[in-house]
Amino acid sequence: MNAVSIKKESLIMSKLSCISPIDGSVYAERELQSKVEIETLLDNSHVAQKTWAATNLEERITTVEKAISALENMNDEIVVELAHMMGRPVRYGGEIGGVKERALHMTSIAADALAPDYIEQSDQFERYIAREPLGVVLVIAPWNYPYLTAINTIVPALVAGNAVVLKHSTQTILAGERFSQAFEEAGLPAGLFTNIFASHEITAELIKARAFDFINFTGSVNGGKQIEGAAAGTFVGVGLELGGKDPAYVRADADLDAAVETLIDGAMFNSGQCCCGIERIYVDESLFDGFIQKAKAIVETYVLGNPLDNATTLGPMAHVRFADEIRGQINEALQSGAKSIINRSLFPKDTGNDAYLAPEILIDVDHTMRVMMDESFGPVVGIMKVSSDEQAIELMNDSAYGLTASIWTKDTTAAANIGNQIKTGTVFMNRCDYLDPALCWTGCKDTGRGISLSSLGYQSVTRAKSYHLKKV
């Protein structure tokens, strides 16, 4: 390689580039920061955090809520940016509704969640367990819901008295800057929220050097393993929300219309790129034919197209390589005997060589097929016929993942009993693909470990400290 080639390669490697799925063009680029630059920023964060932790809780809450309002004021621009960066149609209005719901719930419960737990207050002793901030929290956020996922940790971390460093996905590279702008407008002191552009290598080096006091990562299983590996031996806490293959079970007593409408939307919304999107459905044999017929009718009304067009209901996947992975899963399943029920000619935008991918429903599938076992994270769902609760439970548990499970029935007791036998983080009855901020968001198996949202979410970004005070 000659000197000119080396220089060109160096320039390419020094930038992060967001390739728009709309047309494959470069939508945004940012220069990678050096390790020295980031270490300087982290020094400032550690200094600022000490003062912030001593600040009145009400003041911290007020500042964070002002930032959420500032973010809301940018929403019209953010919606268009999201369409360009990751393909979500503008007609859906972005993520600000969910961001506000989660953020304001977490601020509303902060006083109680962070209050000391008093064991004794007597003439002789004062004994209690307090919660104190960890220090500097690193949030590594994904592209599929770049604001909703990040807010789960950013808000409780700041409210609890931590400083936050955000490393966002290259695919949604502008999201971190929007957060920075919002916190600056809200008057958050410098150093308490820092958006960085770091390579994976530098990030790993900083984690190994114990530059952070907690790491929250949302992404792939492989990425989670790398984070855990980098943090090994540092004794720094790590929260991981990784893959999912979320199942749904439609019992014989289910409301068929409600089940089809909700589950198909749960499988296809955001082009299937949802952490808790429905990826496999098990339907009682008595309802199977009706379910399939209604599902086909819904999906064939979708409009696959440019996300900037208000008529578009299904945009491209965030990157062509993600679309190619789904194409591979579908083709392998078809070759193994699965059948498609969707008329693909209704989706001419899918040419097979870019990020635009037609929605797909497969029947005659089984668990030997990748489409029923590997995470798809795209607009495809396999539907199987079952004859009993026991069979459905066995199939739902036959997965390396455990994020959510959706049960459709009129029998609350049956749903709870079934849910008790499923290895998953959340059990839904007659709904899916939703995060209730009052309930903890967690998973098991290869979905990862850790908790966000709810009062328990504050425990992830604080440490317990016991006080045993004897009065003399």
Side-chain angles (χ1 to χ4, degrees):
M1 182 179 294
N2 60 38
V4 174
S5 298
I6 293 173
K7 183 177 180 181
K8 285 183 178 179
E9 183 177 355
S10 176
L11 288 172
I12 292 172
M13 296 300 291
S14 68
K15 290 184 178 181
L16 296 172
S17 299
C18 168
I19 307 300
S20 175
I22 293 177
D23 56 11
S25 65
V26 176
Y27 179 66
E29 286 188 322
R30 294 294 183 270
E31 295 286 340
L32 278 167
Q33 294 165 304
S34 69
K35 185 179 179 183
V36 172
E37 289 175 310
I38 295 173
E39 286 175 334
T40 299
L41 293 172
L42 291 178
D43 287 342
N44 295 336
S45 295
H46 283 284
V47 172
Q49 186 272 327
K50 291 179 173 61
T51 302
W52 180 245
T55 302
N56 182 277
L57 175 61
E58 287 72 21
E59 183 178 337
R60 299 200 300 263
I61 289 172
T62 297
T63 302
V64 168
E65 290 181 345
K66 284 181 179 178
I68 300 303
S69 294
L71 202 63
E72 183 176 20
N73 292 336
M74 306 173 201
N75 192 56
D76 288 346
E77 299 166 83
I78 287 173
V79 166
V80 175
E81 290 171 356
L82 289 174
H84 280 287
M85 290 189 294
M86 50 76 64
R88 187 183 304 132
V90 295
R91 67 180 291 147
Y92 297 119
E95 304 171 23
I96 193 62
V99 167
K100 288 176 62 179
E101 180 187 27
R102 297 179 193 183
L104 298 183
H105 176 77
M106 294 305 288
T107 59
S108 73
I109 66 171
D112 289 336
L114 296 171
D117 181 12
Y118 278 91
I119 311 301
E120 180 181 359
Q121 285 180 292
S122 68
D123 293 340
Q124 292 181 307
F125 292 99
E126 193 166 326
R127 297 184 294 138
Y128 60 93
I129 303 168
R131 309 295 311 184
E132 67 178 26
L134 296 174
V136 176
V137 172
L138 172 64
V139 178
I140 305 177
W143 51 264
N144 64 317
Y145 282 94
Y147 293 92
L148 275 172
T149 51
I151 211 71
N152 293 350
T153 304
I154 290 173
V155 165
L158 286 171
V159 168
N162 298 282
V164 170
V165 174
L166 176 63
K167 178 186 181 298
H168 222 302
S169 167
T170 303
Q171 194 64 46
T172 43
I173 201 168
L174 302 184
E177 294 180 340
R178 287 294 186 181
F179 275 118
S180 290
Q181 183 182 348
F183 282 115
E184 184 177 352
E185 289 182 14
L188 185 73
L192 292 174
F193 182 87
T194 305
N195 179 51
I196 62 172
F197 302 108
S199 67
H200 296 326
E201 293 76 17
I202 287 178
T203 303
E205 289 177 17
L206 292 169
I207 292 173
K208 290 176 182 177
R210 207 168 179 166
F212 309 102
D213 301 293
F214 180 73
I215 300 117
N216 178 267
F217 172 80
T218 305
S220 68
V221 173
N222 185 55
K225 290 179 178 178
Q226 292 179 40
I227 297 296
E228 272 201 322
T234 67
F235 308 117
V236 170
V238 175
L240 303 170
E241 184 195 324
L242 310 177
K245 194 68 180 175
D246 292 12
Y249 170 37
V250 182
R251 297 182 81 231
D253 68 335
D255 181 324
L256 181 60
D257 288 334
V260 175
E261 181 178 350
T262 306
L263 291 175
I264 294 304
D265 181 68
M268 301 295 173
F269 185 76
N270 202 35
S271 296
Q273 299 167 132
C274 301
C275 298
C276 55
I278 297 298
E279 296 210 359
R280 48 198 176 106
I281 303 175
Y282 307 99
V283 182
D284 184 88
E285 56 190 3
S286 65
L287 299 181
F288 186 82
D289 291 342
F291 190 99
I292 294 301
Q293 183 180 22
K294 291 174 182 292
K296 173 182 172 67
I298 290 172
V299 170
E300 290 185 348
T301 66
Y302 291 166
V303 178
L304 176 66
N306 189 319
L308 298 171
D309 185 342
N310 279 310
T312 295
T313 58
L314 197 71
M317 296 193 67
H319 198 283
V320 65
R321 71 176 182 274
F322 306 148
D324 286 343
E325 167 63 18
I326 308 307
R327 290 185 178 109
Q329 290 187 16
I330 293 171
N331 290 336
E332 289 174 21
L334 293 173
Q335 291 169 11
S336 297
K339 295 179 183 177
S340 167
I341 67 168
I342 301 301
N343 180 2
R344 297 183 64 84
S345 68
L346 297 173
F347 305 96
K349 189 69 174 176
D350 182 352
T351 62
N353 56 15
D354 57 21
Y356 291 89
L357 182 65
E360 184 63 273
I361 295 176
L362 299 174
I363 60 173
D364 293 348
V365 290
D366 59 48
H367 280 211
T368 66
M369 301 173 184
R370 285 203 304 133
V371 76
M372 295 299 287
M373 300 300 289
D374 291 355
E375 184 173 34
S376 298
F377 219 61
V380 58
V381 64
I383 306 178
M384 290 179 63
K385 185 185 300 184
V386 295
S387 58
S388 66
D389 290 347
E390 291 73 22
Q391 184 185 12
I393 291 167
E394 181 180 0
L395 289 168
M396 284 190 282
N397 279 333
D398 184 26
S399 173
Y401 303 102
L403 185 55
T404 79
S406 176
I407 303 164
W408 288 78
T409 179
K410 296 183 176 69
D411 189 335
T412 304
T413 300
N417 287 338
I418 293 168
N420 190 48
Q421 299 175 69
I422 302 172
K423 296 176 182 177
T424 189
T426 295
V427 176
F428 291 111
M429 173 180 161
N430 298 334
R431 79 176 311 174
C432 66
D433 193 25
Y434 172 70
L435 274 71
D436 181 343
L439 299 176
C440 68
W441 190 242
T442 188
C444 59
K445 300 191 282 188
D446 281 1
T447 289
R449 60 186 174 90
I451 290 174
S452 64
L453 299 177
S454 78
S455 60
L456 298 182
Y458 276 105
Q459 295 183 17
S460 297
V461 293
T462 58
R463 65 170 59 88
K465 179 181 281 187
S466 293
Y467 287 81
H468 193 135
L469 311 179
K470 182 179 180 180
K471 299 177 182 180
V472 178

